[in-house]
Amino acid sequence: MPLTKRTHINPCFWSALWNENYHCHFTANQESKLRARDATITFLEINSNKILTLPTNDVFFEKNLGLAPIEPKKALEFCKRHHPDRYETFAKEIENDPTTLILDFENIISGLEKLPIYGSMMKLARTGKIEDDMEKSWLSFFSTHHQLRSHQYLNNLTELYEKQGRAKFEAYIELKWQLSGTEFMTEETITAFKRKWTVYRTPKKIIPLSDAPIVGTPHLQFVTIAPDTLITIEYHDASTGMGIEYRERIPPNIYNLFIRSIIQYATKGLAFYNQKDAQKCQELSAWRGRRRALRVN
């Protein structure tokens, strides 16, 4: 099986929006000579507390996250649980060829990018508008399913399986089965669609991108779209129409809550549109508290 060296949390074509040149061409619907994976962005790294300039291809990834070894013994245990009728035949095959294989889950993670959820998200990043219920449906899907490609979710999932004496590859296989089912997280997606949304399209590019770009509080869910576009989803159903309100200014209390929330769940760091905003974040007590919580120097 092919080996994957890295697994990206946020696709390059998305994080490139935090590059000024790329963002300007993108929102003007112009083709940029700068490829998304070659664009550099300002990144405040949480471990070093340094402000770096990195290509999008090197931001928000965890090496070998998508790889899972399949050891013969664990493969037999998996077969016995899920395909007991094939166990004896499979045991003989393993005996003849006791090779440890590598499951590559990267194609499943990157396969999410081919769904219309990312097309709708990038269209919103360009126009600042959600045209119809179909687009809101795909964005609802994005707000509930994007977290499945995060390293926090995948690491927590594999840790849970390991506590049960089950291997990492089992977590990935069963997640793939769930993703293939029409009912998996359907209720959450429908719930998000029915709720009241506010789309903030700000003149200033003040919204950072995190490795956990979709976070919740007791009252709101925040969905990062672009450095100038943020969605809030309230925890009650919309009363009329599409249930979407548009605003050009984020109230200070909402923005501060968003910043604290996005910092609280960050494990790699935050990408900013400019260095000034990264420097401001360095000085926040929430940022210092998060670094203490992660026990980094």
Side-chain angles (χ1 to χ4, degrees), residues 162-197:
E162 287 170 357
K163 287 180 178 178
Q164 298 172 352
R166 303 168 68 187
K168 179 180 179 180
F169 79 87
E170 293 194 50
Y172 284 172
I173 289 175
E174 293 188 11
L175 177 58
K176 180 182 178 181
W177 289 346
Q178 290 175 321
L179 287 169
S180 301
T182 57
E183 297 181 0
F184 183 57
M185 295 187 73
T186 298
E187 183 176 350
E188 290 86 349
T189 303
I190 293 174
T191 298
F193 174 84
K194 292 166 61 179
R195 285 174 170 168
K196 166 69 182 304
W197 292 24

PDB file of all heavy atoms in Angstrom, residues 162-197:
ATOM      1  N   GLU A 162      -7.663   2.079  21.079  1.00  0.00           N
ATOM      2  CA  GLU A 162      -6.508   1.442  21.720  1.00  0.00           C
ATOM      3  C   GLU A 162      -6.802   1.091  23.172  1.00  0.00           C
ATOM      4  O   GLU A 162      -6.332   0.073  23.682  1.00  0.00           O
ATOM      5  CB  GLU A 162      -5.296   2.364  21.609  1.00  0.00           C
ATOM      6  CG  GLU A 162      -4.728   2.426  20.190  1.00  0.00           C
ATOM      7  CD  GLU A 162      -3.696   3.514  20.008  1.00  0.00           C
ATOM      8  OE1 GLU A 162      -3.457   4.267  20.992  1.00  0.00           O
ATOM      9  OE2 GLU A 162      -3.124   3.622  18.910  1.00  0.00           O
ATOM     10  N   LYS A 163      -7.584   1.918  23.857  1.00  0.00           N
ATOM     11  CA  LYS A 163      -7.981   1.613  25.235  1.00  0.00           C
ATOM     12  C   LYS A 163      -8.848   0.356  25.288  1.00  0.00           C
ATOM     13  O   LYS A 163      -8.902  -0.328  26.313  1.00  0.00           O
ATOM     14  CB  LYS A 163      -8.728   2.794  25.843  1.00  0.00           C
ATOM     15  CG  LYS A 163      -7.845   3.988  26.185  1.00  0.00           C
ATOM     16  CD  LYS A 163      -8.657   5.118  26.785  1.00  0.00           C
ATOM     17  CE  LYS A 163      -7.759   6.286  27.163  1.00  0.00           C
ATOM     18  NZ  LYS A 163      -8.529   7.430  27.721  1.00  0.00           N
ATOM     19  N   GLN A 164      -9.530   0.074  24.182  1.00  0.00           N
ATOM     20  CA  GLN A 164     -10.364  -1.123  24.093  1.00  0.00           C
ATOM     21  C   GLN A 164      -9.585  -2.324  23.572  1.00  0.00           C
ATOM     22  O   GLN A 164     -10.156  -3.384  23.339  1.00  0.00           O
ATOM     23  CB  GLN A 164     -11.558  -0.851  23.172  1.00  0.00           C
ATOM     24  CG  GLN A 164     -12.477   0.257  23.660  1.00  0.00           C
ATOM     25  CD  GLN A 164     -13.533   0.625  22.625  1.00  0.00           C
ATOM     26  OE1 GLN A 164     -13.511   0.166  21.482  1.00  0.00           O
ATOM     27  NE2 GLN A 164     -14.476   1.466  23.025  1.00  0.00           N
ATOM     28  N   GLY A 165      -8.272  -2.139  23.377  1.00  0.00           N
ATOM     29  CA  GLY A 165      -7.435  -3.215  22.864  1.00  0.00           C
ATOM     30  C   GLY A 165      -7.550  -3.412  21.372  1.00  0.00           C
ATOM     31  O   GLY A 165      -7.178  -4.466  20.850  1.00  0.00           O
ATOM     32  N   ARG A 166      -8.055  -2.394  20.686  1.00  0.00           N
ATOM     33  CA  ARG A 166      -8.240  -2.485  19.241  1.00  0.00           C
ATOM     34  C   ARG A 166      -7.253  -1.561  18.539  1.00  0.00           C
ATOM     35  O   ARG A 166      -6.839  -0.548  19.072  1.00  0.00           O
ATOM     36  CB  ARG A 166      -9.686  -2.129  18.882  1.00  0.00           C
ATOM     37  CG  ARG A 166     -10.701  -3.013  19.599  1.00  0.00           C
ATOM     38  CD  ARG A 166     -12.108  -2.482  19.463  1.00  0.00           C
ATOM     39  NE  ARG A 166     -12.576  -2.579  18.094  1.00  0.00           N
ATOM     40  CZ  ARG A 166     -13.738  -2.053  17.676  1.00  0.00           C
ATOM     41  NH1 ARG A 166     -14.509  -1.393  18.535  1.00  0.00           N
ATOM     42  NH2 ARG A 166     -14.102  -2.185  16.439  1.00  0.00           N
ATOM     43  N   ALA A 167      -6.892  -1.919  17.321  1.00  0.00           N
ATOM     44  CA  ALA A 167      -5.829  -1.210  16.610  1.00  0.00           C
ATOM     45  C   ALA A 167      -6.346   0.038  15.904  1.00  0.00           C
ATOM     46  O   ALA A 167      -7.536   0.202  15.653  1.00  0.00           O
ATOM     47  CB  ALA A 167      -5.177  -2.148  15.593  1.00  0.00           C
ATOM     48  N   LYS A 168      -5.394   0.896  15.544  1.00  0.00           N
ATOM     49  CA  LYS A 168      -5.704   2.144  14.847  1.00  0.00           C
ATOM     50  C   LYS A 168      -6.412   1.882  13.519  1.00  0.00           C
ATOM     51  O   LYS A 168      -7.338   2.586  13.144  1.00  0.00           O
ATOM     52  CB  LYS A 168      -4.396   2.919  14.615  1.00  0.00           C
ATOM     53  CG  LYS A 168      -4.547   4.235  13.874  1.00  0.00           C
ATOM     54  CD  LYS A 168      -3.183   4.896  13.711  1.00  0.00           C
ATOM     55  CE  LYS A 168      -3.284   6.211  12.952  1.00  0.00           C
ATOM     56  NZ  LYS A 168      -1.950   6.854  12.787  1.00  0.00           N
ATOM     57  N   PHE A 169      -5.976   0.845  12.805  1.00  0.00           N
ATOM     58  CA  PHE A 169      -6.576   0.583  11.494  1.00  0.00           C
ATOM     59  C   PHE A 169      -8.064   0.252  11.622  1.00  0.00           C
ATOM     60  O   PHE A 169      -8.851   0.536  10.721  1.00  0.00           O
ATOM     61  CB  PHE A 169      -5.829  -0.533  10.754  1.00  0.00           C
ATOM     62  CG  PHE A 169      -6.152  -1.931  11.200  1.00  0.00           C
ATOM     63  CD1 PHE A 169      -7.234  -2.629  10.651  1.00  0.00           C
ATOM     64  CD2 PHE A 169      -5.376  -2.575  12.158  1.00  0.00           C
ATOM     65  CE1 PHE A 169      -7.536  -3.926  11.044  1.00  0.00           C
ATOM     66  CE2 PHE A 169      -5.672  -3.865  12.556  1.00  0.00           C
ATOM     67  CZ  PHE A 169      -6.753  -4.544  12.012  1.00  0.00           C
ATOM     68  N   GLU A 170      -8.469  -0.351  12.760  1.00  0.00           N
ATOM     69  CA  GLU A 170      -9.884  -0.663  12.969  1.00  0.00           C
ATOM     70  C   GLU A 170     -10.702   0.616  13.079  1.00  0.00           C
ATOM     71  O   GLU A 170     -11.823   0.691  12.559  1.00  0.00           O
ATOM     72  CB  GLU A 170     -10.065  -1.508  14.226  1.00  0.00           C
ATOM     73  CG  GLU A 170      -9.486  -2.909  14.138  1.00  0.00           C
ATOM     74  CD  GLU A 170      -9.993  -3.793  15.254  1.00  0.00           C
ATOM     75  OE1 GLU A 170     -11.232  -3.843  15.450  1.00  0.00           O
ATOM     76  OE2 GLU A 170      -9.168  -4.432  15.922  1.00  0.00           O
ATOM     77  N   ALA A 171     -10.151   1.611  13.759  1.00  0.00           N
ATOM     78  CA  ALA A 171     -10.849   2.894  13.892  1.00  0.00           C
ATOM     79  C   ALA A 171     -11.086   3.504  12.519  1.00  0.00           C
ATOM     80  O   ALA A 171     -12.181   4.010  12.221  1.00  0.00           O
ATOM     81  CB  ALA A 171     -10.034   3.841  14.762  1.00  0.00           C
ATOM     82  N   TYR A 172     -10.082   3.437  11.657  1.00  0.00           N
ATOM     83  CA  TYR A 172     -10.203   4.030  10.329  1.00  0.00           C
ATOM     84  C   TYR A 172     -11.172   3.250   9.443  1.00  0.00           C
ATOM     85  O   TYR A 172     -11.971   3.837   8.701  1.00  0.00           O
ATOM     86  CB  TYR A 172      -8.828   4.109   9.666  1.00  0.00           C
ATOM     87  CG  TYR A 172      -7.954   5.224  10.188  1.00  0.00           C
ATOM     88  CD1 TYR A 172      -6.622   5.335   9.810  1.00  0.00           C
ATOM     89  CD2 TYR A 172      -8.458   6.186  11.069  1.00  0.00           C
ATOM     90  CE1 TYR A 172      -5.818   6.360  10.278  1.00  0.00           C
ATOM     91  CE2 TYR A 172      -7.663   7.208  11.542  1.00  0.00           C
ATOM     92  CZ  TYR A 172      -6.349   7.297  11.146  1.00  0.00           C
ATOM     93  OH  TYR A 172      -5.561   8.325  11.603  1.00  0.00           O
ATOM     94  N   ILE A 173     -11.111   1.934   9.515  1.00  0.00           N
ATOM     95  CA  ILE A 173     -12.014   1.127   8.690  1.00  0.00           C
ATOM     96  C   ILE A 173     -13.470   1.360   9.095  1.00  0.00           C
ATOM     97  O   ILE A 173     -14.350   1.556   8.252  1.00  0.00           O
ATOM     98  CB  ILE A 173     -11.655  -0.367   8.791  1.00  0.00           C
ATOM     99  CG1 ILE A 173     -10.342  -0.644   8.051  1.00  0.00           C
ATOM    100  CG2 ILE A 173     -12.771  -1.243   8.202  1.00  0.00           C
ATOM    101  CD1 ILE A 173      -9.849  -2.063   8.186  1.00  0.00           C
ATOM    102  N   GLU A 174     -13.720   1.373  10.400  1.00  0.00           N
ATOM    103  CA  GLU A 174     -15.096   1.549  10.853  1.00  0.00           C
ATOM    104  C   GLU A 174     -15.583   2.971  10.608  1.00  0.00           C
ATOM    105  O   GLU A 174     -16.774   3.192  10.359  1.00  0.00           O
ATOM    106  CB  GLU A 174     -15.205   1.163  12.331  1.00  0.00           C
ATOM    107  CG  GLU A 174     -14.978  -0.332  12.531  1.00  0.00           C
ATOM    108  CD  GLU A 174     -15.260  -0.799  13.957  1.00  0.00           C
ATOM    109  OE1 GLU A 174     -15.831  -0.019  14.745  1.00  0.00           O
ATOM    110  OE2 GLU A 174     -14.910  -1.960  14.264  1.00  0.00           O
ATOM    111  N   LEU A 175     -14.674   3.970  10.663  1.00  0.00           N
ATOM    112  CA  LEU A 175     -15.061   5.335  10.299  1.00  0.00           C
ATOM    113  C   LEU A 175     -15.429   5.402   8.821  1.00  0.00           C
ATOM    114  O   LEU A 175     -16.408   6.062   8.446  1.00  0.00           O
ATOM    115  CB  LEU A 175     -13.919   6.302  10.599  1.00  0.00           C
ATOM    116  CG  LEU A 175     -14.164   7.765  10.204  1.00  0.00           C
ATOM    117  CD1 LEU A 175     -15.413   8.327  10.887  1.00  0.00           C
ATOM    118  CD2 LEU A 175     -12.935   8.621  10.537  1.00  0.00           C
ATOM    119  N   LYS A 176     -14.685   4.694   7.978  1.00  0.00           N
ATOM    120  CA  LYS A 176     -15.009   4.658   6.546  1.00  0.00           C
ATOM    121  C   LYS A 176     -16.385   4.033   6.341  1.00  0.00           C
ATOM    122  O   LYS A 176     -17.180   4.522   5.530  1.00  0.00           O
ATOM    123  CB  LYS A 176     -13.955   3.867   5.778  1.00  0.00           C
ATOM    124  CG  LYS A 176     -14.242   3.785   4.281  1.00  0.00           C
ATOM    125  CD  LYS A 176     -13.202   2.957   3.546  1.00  0.00           C
ATOM    126  CE  LYS A 176     -13.551   2.861   2.070  1.00  0.00           C
ATOM    127  NZ  LYS A 176     -12.567   2.039   1.317  1.00  0.00           N
ATOM    128  N   TRP A 177     -16.689   2.975   7.064  1.00  0.00           N
ATOM    129  CA  TRP A 177     -18.011   2.357   6.954  1.00  0.00           C
ATOM    130  C   TRP A 177     -19.099   3.351   7.346  1.00  0.00           C
ATOM    131  O   TRP A 177     -20.136   3.435   6.690  1.00  0.00           O
ATOM    132  CB  TRP A 177     -18.083   1.127   7.861  1.00  0.00           C
ATOM    133  CG  TRP A 177     -17.273  -0.044   7.405  1.00  0.00           C
ATOM    134  CD1 TRP A 177     -16.716  -0.222   6.165  1.00  0.00           C
ATOM    135  CD2 TRP A 177     -16.917  -1.199   8.173  1.00  0.00           C
ATOM    136  NE1 TRP A 177     -16.039  -1.408   6.118  1.00  0.00           N
ATOM    137  CE2 TRP A 177     -16.137  -2.040   7.324  1.00  0.00           C
ATOM    138  CE3 TRP A 177     -17.171  -1.605   9.476  1.00  0.00           C
ATOM    139  CZ2 TRP A 177     -15.633  -3.252   7.755  1.00  0.00           C
ATOM    140  CZ3 TRP A 177     -16.661  -2.828   9.914  1.00  0.00           C
ATOM    141  CH2 TRP A 177     -15.904  -3.644   9.058  1.00  0.00           C
ATOM    142  N   GLN A 178     -18.856   4.093   8.421  1.00  0.00           N
ATOM    143  CA  GLN A 178     -19.849   5.072   8.872  1.00  0.00           C
ATOM    144  C   GLN A 178     -20.046   6.178   7.848  1.00  0.00           C
ATOM    145  O   GLN A 178     -21.169   6.617   7.584  1.00  0.00           O
ATOM    146  CB  GLN A 178     -19.422   5.661  10.215  1.00  0.00           C
ATOM    147  CG  GLN A 178     -19.508   4.681  11.372  1.00  0.00           C
ATOM    148  CD  GLN A 178     -18.970   5.261  12.663  1.00  0.00           C
ATOM    149  OE1 GLN A 178     -17.965   5.972  12.674  1.00  0.00           O
ATOM    150  NE2 GLN A 178     -19.639   4.961  13.758  1.00  0.00           N
ATOM    151  N   LEU A 179     -18.939   6.635   7.255  1.00  0.00           N
ATOM    152  CA  LEU A 179     -19.033   7.693   6.248  1.00  0.00           C
ATOM    153  C   LEU A 179     -19.787   7.233   5.008  1.00  0.00           C
ATOM    154  O   LEU A 179     -20.369   8.045   4.281  1.00  0.00           O
ATOM    155  CB  LEU A 179     -17.631   8.164   5.845  1.00  0.00           C
ATOM    156  CG  LEU A 179     -16.883   9.009   6.885  1.00  0.00           C
ATOM    157  CD1 LEU A 179     -15.430   9.184   6.468  1.00  0.00           C
ATOM    158  CD2 LEU A 179     -17.555  10.362   7.058  1.00  0.00           C
ATOM    159  N   SER A 180     -19.786   5.931   4.770  1.00  0.00           N
ATOM    160  CA  SER A 180     -20.497   5.382   3.610  1.00  0.00           C
ATOM    161  C   SER A 180     -21.997   5.290   3.855  1.00  0.00           C
ATOM    162  O   SER A 180     -22.770   5.126   2.913  1.00  0.00           O
ATOM    163  CB  SER A 180     -19.951   3.988   3.265  1.00  0.00           C
ATOM    164  OG  SER A 180     -18.572   4.035   2.977  1.00  0.00           O
ATOM    165  N   GLY A 181     -22.408   5.406   5.112  1.00  0.00           N
ATOM    166  CA  GLY A 181     -23.826   5.300   5.440  1.00  0.00           C
ATOM    167  C   GLY A 181     -24.535   6.641   5.369  1.00  0.00           C
ATOM    168  O   GLY A 181     -23.970   7.672   5.741  1.00  0.00           O
ATOM    169  N   THR A 182     -25.769   6.635   4.868  1.00  0.00           N
ATOM    170  CA  THR A 182     -26.518   7.887   4.710  1.00  0.00           C
ATOM    171  C   THR A 182     -26.983   8.469   6.034  1.00  0.00           C
ATOM    172  O   THR A 182     -27.288   9.663   6.113  1.00  0.00           O
ATOM    173  CB  THR A 182     -27.742   7.653   3.811  1.00  0.00           C
ATOM    174  OG1 THR A 182     -28.551   6.610   4.389  1.00  0.00           O
ATOM    175  CG2 THR A 182     -27.317   7.244   2.410  1.00  0.00           C
ATOM    176  N   GLU A 183     -27.028   7.656   7.088  1.00  0.00           N
ATOM    177  CA  GLU A 183     -27.553   8.139   8.360  1.00  0.00           C
ATOM    178  C   GLU A 183     -26.480   8.735   9.267  1.00  0.00           C
ATOM    179  O   GLU A 183     -26.803   9.374  10.261  1.00  0.00           O
ATOM    180  CB  GLU A 183     -28.258   6.990   9.110  1.00  0.00           C
ATOM    181  CG  GLU A 183     -29.476   6.448   8.381  1.00  0.00           C
ATOM    182  CD  GLU A 183     -30.162   5.344   9.164  1.00  0.00           C
ATOM    183  OE1 GLU A 183     -29.681   5.021  10.269  1.00  0.00           O
ATOM    184  OE2 GLU A 183     -31.167   4.808   8.681  1.00  0.00           O
ATOM    185  N   PHE A 184     -25.216   8.534   8.926  1.00  0.00           N
ATOM    186  CA  PHE A 184     -24.135   8.984   9.792  1.00  0.00           C
ATOM    187  C   PHE A 184     -24.124  10.511   9.876  1.00  0.00           C
ATOM    188  O   PHE A 184     -23.929  11.208   8.897  1.00  0.00           O
ATOM    189  CB  PHE A 184     -22.794   8.476   9.271  1.00  0.00           C
ATOM    190  CG  PHE A 184     -21.620   8.829  10.146  1.00  0.00           C
ATOM    191  CD1 PHE A 184     -21.585   8.449  11.467  1.00  0.00           C
ATOM    192  CD2 PHE A 184     -20.556   9.533   9.619  1.00  0.00           C
ATOM    193  CE1 PHE A 184     -20.491   8.757  12.277  1.00  0.00           C
ATOM    194  CE2 PHE A 184     -19.458   9.847  10.417  1.00  0.00           C
ATOM    195  CZ  PHE A 184     -19.432   9.465  11.740  1.00  0.00           C
ATOM    196  N   MET A 185     -24.358  11.039  11.045  1.00  0.00           N
ATOM    197  CA  MET A 185     -24.376  12.471  11.345  1.00  0.00           C
ATOM    198  C   MET A 185     -25.453  13.243  10.580  1.00  0.00           C
ATOM    199  O   MET A 185     -25.426  14.471  10.506  1.00  0.00           O
ATOM    200  CB  MET A 185     -22.998  13.095  11.093  1.00  0.00           C
ATOM    201  CG  MET A 185     -21.920  12.565  12.016  1.00  0.00           C
ATOM    202  SD  MET A 185     -20.341  13.413  11.871  1.00  0.00           S
ATOM    203  CE  MET A 185     -20.714  14.966  12.668  1.00  0.00           C
ATOM    204  N   THR A 186     -26.427  12.525  10.021  1.00  0.00           N
ATOM    205  CA  THR A 186     -27.495  13.203   9.283  1.00  0.00           C
ATOM    206  C   THR A 186     -28.303  14.110  10.196  1.00  0.00           C
ATOM    207  O   THR A 186     -28.646  15.252   9.826  1.00  0.00           O
ATOM    208  CB  THR A 186     -28.421  12.167   8.616  1.00  0.00           C
ATOM    209  OG1 THR A 186     -27.666  11.400   7.681  1.00  0.00           O
ATOM    210  CG2 THR A 186     -29.568  12.861   7.895  1.00  0.00           C
ATOM    211  N   GLU A 187     -28.612  13.613  11.379  1.00  0.00           N
ATOM    212  CA  GLU A 187     -29.412  14.407  12.317  1.00  0.00           C
ATOM    213  C   GLU A 187     -28.711  15.715  12.684  1.00  0.00           C
ATOM    214  O   GLU A 187     -29.336  16.777  12.734  1.00  0.00           O
ATOM    215  CB  GLU A 187     -29.697  13.598  13.581  1.00  0.00           C
ATOM    216  CG  GLU A 187     -30.599  14.326  14.575  1.00  0.00           C
ATOM    217  CD  GLU A 187     -30.939  13.473  15.781  1.00  0.00           C
ATOM    218  OE1 GLU A 187     -30.649  12.262  15.774  1.00  0.00           O
ATOM    219  OE2 GLU A 187     -31.493  14.041  16.744  1.00  0.00           O
ATOM    220  N   GLU A 188     -27.383  15.642  12.914  1.00  0.00           N
ATOM    221  CA  GLU A 188     -26.624  16.841  13.247  1.00  0.00           C
ATOM    222  C   GLU A 188     -26.642  17.845  12.105  1.00  0.00           C
ATOM    223  O   GLU A 188     -26.760  19.054  12.316  1.00  0.00           O
ATOM    224  CB  GLU A 188     -25.188  16.473  13.598  1.00  0.00           C
ATOM    225  CG  GLU A 188     -25.026  15.742  14.917  1.00  0.00           C
ATOM    226  CD  GLU A 188     -25.218  14.246  14.784  1.00  0.00           C
ATOM    227  OE1 GLU A 188     -25.688  13.795  13.719  1.00  0.00           O
ATOM    228  OE2 GLU A 188     -24.891  13.525  15.740  1.00  0.00           O
ATOM    229  N   THR A 189     -26.537  17.345  10.868  1.00  0.00           N
ATOM    230  CA  THR A 189     -26.542  18.224   9.701  1.00  0.00           C
ATOM    231  C   THR A 189     -27.891  18.912   9.536  1.00  0.00           C
ATOM    232  O   THR A 189     -27.968  20.119   9.261  1.00  0.00           O
ATOM    233  CB  THR A 189     -26.198  17.425   8.429  1.00  0.00           C
ATOM    234  OG1 THR A 189     -24.929  16.795   8.603  1.00  0.00           O
ATOM    235  CG2 THR A 189     -26.156  18.324   7.211  1.00  0.00           C
ATOM    236  N   ILE A 190     -28.965  18.159   9.699  1.00  0.00           N
ATOM    237  CA  ILE A 190     -30.314  18.734   9.581  1.00  0.00           C
ATOM    238  C   ILE A 190     -30.546  19.771  10.673  1.00  0.00           C
ATOM    239  O   ILE A 190     -31.122  20.845  10.433  1.00  0.00           O
ATOM    240  CB  ILE A 190     -31.374  17.626   9.653  1.00  0.00           C
ATOM    241  CG1 ILE A 190     -31.278  16.721   8.419  1.00  0.00           C
ATOM    242  CG2 ILE A 190     -32.778  18.212   9.767  1.00  0.00           C
ATOM    243  CD1 ILE A 190     -32.183  15.502   8.472  1.00  0.00           C
ATOM    244  N   THR A 191     -30.057  19.466  11.881  1.00  0.00           N
ATOM    245  CA  THR A 191     -30.203  20.408  12.989  1.00  0.00           C
ATOM    246  C   THR A 191     -29.491  21.716  12.680  1.00  0.00           C
ATOM    247  O   THR A 191     -30.028  22.804  12.908  1.00  0.00           O
ATOM    248  CB  THR A 191     -29.637  19.797  14.284  1.00  0.00           C
ATOM    249  OG1 THR A 191     -30.392  18.626  14.610  1.00  0.00           O
ATOM    250  CG2 THR A 191     -29.729  20.785  15.439  1.00  0.00           C
ATOM    251  N   ALA A 192     -28.260  21.626  12.152  1.00  0.00           N
ATOM    252  CA  ALA A 192     -27.508  22.833  11.798  1.00  0.00           C
ATOM    253  C   ALA A 192     -28.223  23.630  10.719  1.00  0.00           C
ATOM    254  O   ALA A 192     -28.263  24.866  10.766  1.00  0.00           O
ATOM    255  CB  ALA A 192     -26.105  22.443  11.330  1.00  0.00           C
ATOM    256  N   PHE A 193     -28.805  22.951   9.755  1.00  0.00           N
ATOM    257  CA  PHE A 193     -29.518  23.634   8.662  1.00  0.00           C
ATOM    258  C   PHE A 193     -30.709  24.442   9.186  1.00  0.00           C
ATOM    259  O   PHE A 193     -30.967  25.553   8.730  1.00  0.00           O
ATOM    260  CB  PHE A 193     -30.003  22.604   7.635  1.00  0.00           C
ATOM    261  CG  PHE A 193     -30.860  23.197   6.552  1.00  0.00           C
ATOM    262  CD1 PHE A 193     -30.283  23.776   5.438  1.00  0.00           C
ATOM    263  CD2 PHE A 193     -32.252  23.189   6.647  1.00  0.00           C
ATOM    264  CE1 PHE A 193     -31.072  24.336   4.432  1.00  0.00           C
ATOM    265  CE2 PHE A 193     -33.039  23.733   5.659  1.00  0.00           C
ATOM    266  CZ  PHE A 193     -32.451  24.310   4.543  1.00  0.00           C
ATOM    267  N   LYS A 194     -31.408  23.927  10.153  1.00  0.00           N
ATOM    268  CA  LYS A 194     -32.632  24.559  10.641  1.00  0.00           C
ATOM    269  C   LYS A 194     -32.360  25.751  11.553  1.00  0.00           C
ATOM    270  O   LYS A 194     -33.257  26.549  11.813  1.00  0.00           O
ATOM    271  CB  LYS A 194     -33.470  23.518  11.397  1.00  0.00           C
ATOM    272  CG  LYS A 194     -34.049  22.429  10.498  1.00  0.00           C
ATOM    273  CD  LYS A 194     -34.580  21.253  11.310  1.00  0.00           C
ATOM    274  CE  LYS A 194     -35.690  21.664  12.247  1.00  0.00           C
ATOM    275  NZ  LYS A 194     -36.211  20.497  13.010  1.00  0.00           N
ATOM    276  N   ARG A 195     -31.142  25.891  12.019  1.00  0.00           N
ATOM    277  CA  ARG A 195     -30.852  26.929  12.995  1.00  0.00           C
ATOM    278  C   ARG A 195     -30.649  28.314  12.376  1.00  0.00           C
ATOM    279  O   ARG A 195     -30.513  28.451  11.161  1.00  0.00           O
ATOM    280  CB  ARG A 195     -29.610  26.531  13.810  1.00  0.00           C
ATOM    281  CG  ARG A 195     -29.916  25.434  14.823  1.00  0.00           C
ATOM    282  CD  ARG A 195     -28.682  24.936  15.521  1.00  0.00           C
ATOM    283  NE  ARG A 195     -29.045  24.054  16.639  1.00  0.00           N
ATOM    284  CZ  ARG A 195     -28.210  23.286  17.301  1.00  0.00           C
ATOM    285  NH1 ARG A 195     -26.934  23.260  16.953  1.00  0.00           N
ATOM    286  NH2 ARG A 195     -28.617  22.535  18.312  1.00  0.00           N
ATOM    287  N   LYS A 196     -30.636  29.303  13.235  1.00  0.00           N
ATOM    288  CA  LYS A 196     -30.433  30.696  12.825  1.00  0.00           C
ATOM    289  C   LYS A 196     -28.948  30.945  12.578  1.00  0.00           C
ATOM    290  O   LYS A 196     -28.117  30.697  13.441  1.00  0.00           O
ATOM    291  CB  LYS A 196     -30.946  31.633  13.928  1.00  0.00           C
ATOM    292  CG  LYS A 196     -30.500  33.087  13.798  1.00  0.00           C
ATOM    293  CD  LYS A 196     -31.138  33.770  12.611  1.00  0.00           C
ATOM    294  CE  LYS A 196     -30.626  35.212  12.489  1.00  0.00           C
ATOM    295  NZ  LYS A 196     -30.834  36.003  13.724  1.00  0.00           N
ATOM    296  N   TRP A 197     -28.626  31.439  11.378  1.00  0.00           N
ATOM    297  CA  TRP A 197     -27.252  31.718  10.998  1.00  0.00           C
ATOM    298  C   TRP A 197     -27.038  33.224  10.845  1.00  0.00           C
ATOM    299  O   TRP A 197     -27.941  33.958  10.426  1.00  0.00           O
ATOM    300  CB  TRP A 197     -26.907  31.076   9.654  1.00  0.00           C
ATOM    301  CG  TRP A 197     -26.857  29.575   9.656  1.00  0.00           C
ATOM    302  CD1 TRP A 197     -27.477  28.706  10.509  1.00  0.00           C
ATOM    303  CD2 TRP A 197     -26.139  28.761   8.720  1.00  0.00           C
ATOM    304  NE1 TRP A 197     -27.201  27.414  10.175  1.00  0.00           N
ATOM    305  CE2 TRP A 197     -26.379  27.410   9.074  1.00  0.00           C
ATOM    306  CE3 TRP A 197     -25.330  29.034   7.628  1.00  0.00           C
ATOM    307  CZ2 TRP A 197     -25.834  26.344   8.362  1.00  0.00           C
ATOM    308  CZ3 TRP A 197     -24.783  27.987   6.909  1.00  0.00           C
ATOM    309  CH2 TRP A 197     -25.026  26.648   7.285  1.00  0.00           C
TER     310      TRP A 197
END
